Amino acid sequence: MEAFNAMTAATFLADHAFLPDGWSRNVLIRVDAQGIVEGVEPECSSVGNAERLAGATLPGLPNLHSHTFQRGMAGLAERRGPAHDSFWSWREVMYAFVRQLSPDDVEAIAAMAMAEMLEGGFTSLAEFHYLHHAPDGAPYDNPAELAERIAAAAARTGIGLTLLPVLYSHGGFGGQAAGEGQRRFLNDLDGYLRLHEASAKALRGLPGSVLGVAPHSLRAVTPEQLKRLSEAVPEGPVHIHIAEQVKEVEDCLAWSGQRPVAWLAGNAALSERWTLIHATHMVAGEVASVASSGAVAGLCPITEANLGDGIFEGIAFLGQKGRIGVGSDSNVEITAAGELRLLEYSQRLRHRGRNLLAGHEGVSTGETLYRAALQGGRQALAQPVGAIAPGYRADLVALDTDHPAFASGRPADFLDSYVFGAGSQAVATVIVAGKPVVSDGRHRGRDPIVRRYREALLRIIAS
């Protein structure tokens, strides 16, 4: 756990590096003892004792939305239910799974998910953390018991962490009572603020970590709570689930006469602080209001496909200069390139065309999506990530360009070859804050992390 916290200065030489203005060769990257890039020198002829990064080096992609505990459910919710199977029936399976988790299980599963994120090309994470209490719903003596477990997993794996403790108080629009399956999630606002304060303490030993807030959804908080929360925590990132499901839209219309995104835009001061997770079901006016607000649309295409959520209005949103990032959400499959690939492919299926999110003729789709997700992810996590440039954290992903997908050998093709070809198979070396955490495609702590994860899952399944 301590191994990835120690900081030392480092120097790397990348064969090719994706810099803010594009690809460059023989790039010397100097990193200070805090893990921040202090110098970048393209076409460098003097390398000293720099560590070579072979192939193509990218800024690591931020993962702007995850529930790490759901990694333990991957493959366990794929049997058809007795009626129409949907997000809502999946949610009941999730509630049953949650009832079995101990704090040790939460930490073990989180570490597994985070290690796989790093192996999959993500180097930082916004954890939307809504599992707070004991299985019977009673608060732990330490309200941040499970937040501490998330922080411990981040320390063990070396991933950058933005922790988003979730305010979850109700079971439906208008302050409806929560159900039995939600009891581990629930706090009133005062209890939540105590949790938030305790979560800040949980992050003190984790360099570079950020604390934000997350009203779970308009189903789970009241307008008054949303207002009071913004007053109580006036700074830092704010994330919220919004308009993920058609039923959610219908229920919001019945409650308020407005669609969820329209209600939020009219009742909250949307700004660059905000990340709207999913925002799947938007009409034209909602697309325009979110795009113009500077808020990020947090997209999780693999989970959205797995749950049958729907398809984001990608062409319209990006056409209005909307900001996007990607996340792994339920962690049913963890791959940075795969999220971007499915984002584009979903648009192709809906509109029956190709390279739809590139925007203009001759533009690389892979590069367009990767740049957008770097910028949106950096904003959503409120961390200095997403660029190989002075002042940014040295989060680097080196791709093995000996993989057959990179046979053209042309840097202009690298991101398309990664996103639409090799994917995570090409991830060779991953560095976070100047420290290597993945070598030869494997997390350096993989074996004990996997062993602990297996032990947890076998106990959970047997119980």
Side-chain angles (χ1 to χ4, degrees), residues 153-204:
R156 180 178 294 278
T157 58
I159 201 165
L161 179 65
T162 292
L163 182 65
L164 301 163
V166 171
L167 174 60
Y168 198 131
S169 299
H170 302 286
F173 290 97
Q176 296 176 38
E180 177 69 13
Q182 297 162 326
R183 62 188 178 184
R184 298 195 73 175
F185 315 151
L186 302 176
N187 282 293
D188 61 19
L189 185 59
D190 290 339
Y192 175 79
L193 292 176
R194 289 192 293 273
L195 165 66
H196 193 266
E197 181 179 5
S199 296
K201 295 177 183 177
L203 294 180
R204 284 178 183 170

Side-chain angles (χ1 to χ4, degrees), residues 200-223:
K201 295 177 183 177
L203 294 180
R204 284 178 183 170
L206 197 60
S209 58
V210 170
L211 182 65
V213 297
H216 177 272
S217 60
L218 297 181
R219 304 190 313 272
V221 300
T222 64

Side-chain angles (χ1 to χ4, degrees), residues 8 12 16 78 119 134 180 196 240 275 311 343 382 401 407 433 462:
T8 56
F12 303 95
H16 297 87
E78 305 304 328
E119 292 173 345
E180 177 69 13
H196 193 266
I240 187 170
T275 298
I311 298 173
L343 174 57
T401 52

Side-chain angles (χ1 to χ4, degrees), residues 81-416:
H84 177 63
D85 213 339
S86 68
F87 166 85
W88 306 100
S89 53
W90 171 89
R91 194 174 69 158
E92 294 303 316
V93 177
M94 184 266 286
Y95 290 163
F97 182 77
V98 160
R99 286 195 289 270
Q100 311 304 317
L101 299 181
S102 71
D104 285 347
D105 298 333
V106 169
E107 183 176 339
I109 297 169
M112 186 73 256
M114 292 173 184
E116 290 181 315
M117 288 174 196
L118 290 161
E119 292 173 345
F122 290 117
T123 50
S124 52
L125 165 67
E127 176 66 5
F128 198 98
H129 172 57
Y130 62 84
L131 180 57
H132 302 311
H133 304 313
D136 63 359
Y140 291 105
D141 291 340
N142 172 10
E145 168 69 33
L146 298 183
E148 287 188 357
R149 299 310 186 107
I150 300 298
R156 180 178 294 278
T157 58
I159 201 165
L161 179 65
T162 292
L163 182 65
L164 301 163
V166 171
L167 174 60
Y168 198 131
S169 299
H170 302 286
F173 290 97
Q176 296 176 38
E180 177 69 13
Q182 297 162 326
R183 62 188 178 184
R184 298 195 73 175
F185 315 151
L186 302 176
N187 282 293
D188 61 19
L189 185 59
D190 290 339
Y192 175 79
L193 292 176
R194 289 192 293 273
L195 165 66
H196 193 266
E197 181 179 5
S199 296
K201 295 177 183 177
L203 294 180
R204 284 178 183 170
L206 197 60
S209 58
V210 170
L211 182 65
V213 297
H216 177 272
S217 60
L218 297 181
R219 304 190 313 272
V221 300
T222 64
E224 176 62 21
Q225 286 179 311
L226 196 60
K227 179 177 182 293
R228 287 184 58 203
L229 179 60
S230 66
E231 293 168 348
V233 188
E235 297 181 347
V238 183
H239 291 219
I240 187 170
H241 290 133
I242 195 84
E244 179 179 3
Q245 283 281 324
V246 170
K247 182 179 185 300
E248 178 186 345
V249 175
E250 293 171 345
D251 289 351
C252 189
L253 281 164
W255 163 64
S256 70
Q258 291 182 288
R259 300 170 62 88
V261 173
W263 188 95
L264 189 67
N267 291 275
L270 291 185
S271 68
E272 294 183 357
R273 286 186 66 195
W274 286 77
T275 298
L276 277 54
I277 303 301
H278 305 304
T280 307
H281 300 286
M282 293 193 292
V283 294
E286 293 173 310
V287 168
S289 65
V290 176
S292 64
S293 74
V296 174
L299 311 177
C300 308
I302 292 174
T303 292
E304 289 153 6
N306 180 268
L307 297 178
D309 288 345
I311 298 173
F312 179 72
E313 296 291 343
I315 295 174
F317 192 73
L318 289 181
Q320 297 182 52
K321 303 189 184 306
R323 305 176 189 188
I324 64 166
V326 294
S328 58
D329 196 353
S330 67
N331 297 301
V332 67
E333 179 184 359
I334 302 174
T335 158
E339 297 290 354
L340 298 176
R341 181 188 312 122
L342 190 53
L343 174 57
E344 167 67 23
Y345 282 179
S346 66
Q347 304 301 307
R348 296 184 187 190
L349 288 167
R350 168 176 276 185
H351 299 286
R352 298 184 295 281
R354 300 191 69 252
N355 295 308
L356 296 173
L357 298 180
H360 302 285
E361 182 179 353
V363 173
S364 159
T365 303
E367 182 172 329
T368 299
L369 292 174
Y370 203 85
R371 282 189 184 278
L374 287 173
Q375 294 163 4
R378 175 169 62 245
Q379 179 177 317
L381 269 65
Q383 294 196 29
V385 297
I388 303 174
Y392 288 81
R393 195 166 66 215
D395 291 2
L396 311 172
V397 173
L399 305 177
D400 177 10
T401 52
D402 286 336
H403 188 285
F406 297 87
S408 80
R410 298 179 303 195
D413 297 333
F414 283 167
L415 274 161
D416 288 326

